[in-house]
Amino acid sequence: MPTECGNPLLLEWIKEWLDVAKERNSKGVTTYKKAYDSMKACPLVFDHPSEAQQLFGLGPKLCDRLTEKLKEHCTEKGLPMPELPHKARKRPSGTEPEGAVPAKKPRKAKPYVPTLRSGAYALILALSTISEDSSSGLTKAQTIEQAQPLCDSSFTAPSDPTKFYTAWSSMKTLIEKDLVYERGRPLRKYALTDEGWGAAKRINKTTGGEDKAADAPVEPGRFTGHGSFIDLGEGSEEEEVSGSRADHRPSDVVRASHNIENRSVTAGHPLGGIPRDKFGVLAAAEERNNRHSKTNTFEFLELLSSSPPRPPIAVKNPGAGSTVLADNNKESRRSNTNNIILSAKEASYSTKSDFPLFQPVHLNPGSFTVKLVLDNREIRAKTDRDYIQDELRKKGVNPIVRPLELGDALWVAKCVHPAMLSLYGEEGDEVVLDWIVERKRLDDLVGSIKDGRFHEQKFRLRKSGIKNVVYLVEDISMSHETTTKYQEAMDSAIASTQVVNGYFVKKTQKLDDTIRYLARMTMMLKSLYESKALNIIPTRTLTPQTYLPLLSHLRTTQPLTSYQITYSAFASLASKSETLTLRDIFLKMLMCTRGITGDKALEIQKHWKTPREFVEAFERCETERLRKELLLEKMGGLVGRKKVGKALSAKVADVWAVV
């Protein structure tokens, strides 16, 4: 005669869970079947579900679920909840039998908790968007669509082109841990098991549900909550190294709002404020007082004004006594690019050169939008050329893709009206902002060091006149032999970029981190620039010889006012071929010799203006010893990076003395 079950209510609930597990084809079927058979065969009546742990197949986890179910049942029926059974009192100290070894407490198994913003983390949250009682699941495409904004890695492409694992590989781990079950052929669908729902609830309880929109597109110029802007900090996955440049002082940092609140979810992951690195401040731009009228926010150009004219600001050049006009007169801001008082001379980089007088073109807030311009040679792989721009669009940034004369990414202010700048005689409808990114993968960095492009690119970046240069170093797996051979060279190159050149160095672990950095950088620059006016130096005022001295003079005499140039002017000035002078060619020739840096080449050019003069100087030397010591005699006594030693002097003589 079969034994009657003493706890039919508990048996009924276990039977429900067993049926659901069978329907879902879950691995929990075996566990529930053992618990069901044990409970059905037990004639004892339990006062509390925790007493069922004495049965085979029922552990603490299942008894806790039964307890929760009993609480719900008692609340629904209005019944009192049974109390926990009293545990046996512990023996008082000193009463243990002699020689008895105290038993070790069994280590409680910790519940599975995925890493924040990992593949498993995003998949669990994505699958938790469907109802817990739903018998349907999500397909792979639907799951990826929900999970991608919650994950820092891609679900469709490997972070490294040499690898095959994506964030979707975490699904196998979740299935093995019985957090997710799959069913259906050929179209598989995925859903959370009871343990998976427990993990999802723990995640939501910990994060408060805030991370569900962590990477969702943010409306430009808006706050992300709690009065804070989007930050570029990437947490523990990315390392940022602050430059030592004078322009990156904390006192120069722009705060677009006075109530920016810095909050952090994890150590090293700031959410508030403008981008900053772990060791200091990323930097920035000059603080502008809010002197533009809010009522004119959406004017395209201030062509007319009823207010009385104000005199233009005159900035004296102490070297030549000439004047640069920085016009603040609204009445004079008309289509007037021909009003150039003094043409630019073919001058050297000396501070004694004459600067032209000009009236800057003035663009009001609302007349332009900030856009990211991406070099079309920046690709993930030859077979996946659109990956970067596609991922940026998913993050709310629609980049402009074109060949860039300099850098791999930069930002422009694109006029709302395409013909706006043509009213002033300027070409195009874009103005270059003071931010540019040079991206280097580690293998590309090694290649540029070996062929000399590394120094040449930094030399051109300095000549561009852009104030904020971000040198982005992206990690990639390389062979142990290559890493060992060039590790010291890479460390030295990164350190010199930071210390000597004063550029901001940013390190990322993979391409997805780089894409996320560019997206957040774009949002930050939108908030920074779209709320203030731009002053554009007329293109007719510029020449390759006076551009840098003029820009340096304006930044020194008017530190609170920033000046920009049009994109067409920037492309022409940054071109390798269009603006090359004999002086530039001479400098590039000198830097082909190993050990001749940009500073040393500039110092050599001060003594010998042309290659012909340099060769003739060697020809006038009567002996071999005098030829090898020619540079040592002129530059051996200098201090710092311009000094030339005996060995380098002899190396240059070996190249130039036989020309």
Side-chain angles (χ1 to χ4, degrees), residues 411-583:
W411 286 266
V412 298
K414 190 173 182 66
C415 297
V416 175
H417 195 285
M420 187 182 302
L421 291 179
S422 64
L423 298 175
Y424 286 85
E426 300 292 335
E427 295 183 6
D429 60 347
E430 296 172 352
V431 178
V432 178
L433 303 179
D434 269 338
W435 296 83
I436 191 170
V437 174
E438 178 69 28
R439 172 180 171 245
K440 288 288 183 188
R441 283 194 334 189
L442 284 183
D443 54 350
D444 185 29
L445 179 62
V446 171
S448 65
I449 293 172
K450 290 164 66 176
D451 60 19
R453 288 183 293 115
F454 176 71
H455 295 289
E456 188 263 345
Q457 287 172 343
K458 291 198 297 183
F459 181 70
R460 292 178 61 217
L461 283 170
R462 187 172 68 174
K463 286 186 61 179
S464 69
I466 291 185
K467 191 174 182 180
N468 303 292
V469 178
V470 178
Y471 208 85
L472 194 147
V473 181
E474 186 178 300
D475 197 5
I476 190 174
S477 60
M478 296 190 297
S479 65
H480 177 71
E481 181 182 356
T482 304
T483 304
T484 305
K485 186 176 181 180
Y486 294 103
Q487 185 63 52
E488 188 176 344
M490 290 187 292
D491 294 341
S492 176
I494 293 172
S496 69
T497 301
Q498 174 191 353
V499 178
V500 178
N501 302 105
Y503 298 154
F504 178 80
V505 176
K506 170 77 177 177
K507 290 184 178 180
T508 59
Q509 296 297 319
K510 52 184 180 292
L511 179 59
D512 291 327
D513 294 340
T514 300
I515 294 171
R516 189 166 60 257
Y517 179 81
L518 292 176
R520 295 182 177 181
M521 189 79 171
T522 304
M523 295 302 178
M524 186 276 292
L525 292 178
K526 281 179 174 288
S527 302
L528 188 63
Y529 279 99
E530 290 184 353
S531 60
K532 67 177 184 179
L534 296 180
N535 298 295
I536 306 169
I537 302 175
T539 304
R540 296 185 182 184
T541 311
L542 303 173
T543 66
Q545 289 73 28
T546 60
Y547 169 59
L548 283 183
L550 174 62
L551 209 57
S552 176
H553 179 71
L554 290 174
R555 288 171 179 172
T556 303
T557 56
Q558 302 182 48
L560 298 181
T561 305
S562 61
Y563 289 90
Q564 284 79 29
I565 61 175
T566 62
Y567 178 81
S568 57
F570 170 80
S572 178
L573 289 168
S575 173
K576 290 183 179 180
S577 56
E578 287 189 21
T579 61
L580 277 182
T581 62
L582 179 60
R583 175 182 181 276

Side-chain angles (χ1 to χ4, degrees), residues 104 107 113 176 184 213 233 236 261 266 270 361 404 522 633 638:
K104 291 184 179 180
R107 181 176 295 180
V113 179
E176 290 176 350
S236 58
E261 177 185 6
T266 56
V361 179
L404 290 180
T522 304
E633 180 184 350
L638 299 178

Side-chain angles (χ1 to χ4, degrees), residues 90-98 100:
K90 294 183 179 179
R91 293 183 180 181
S93 58
T95 60
E96 291 86 356
E98 294 183 5

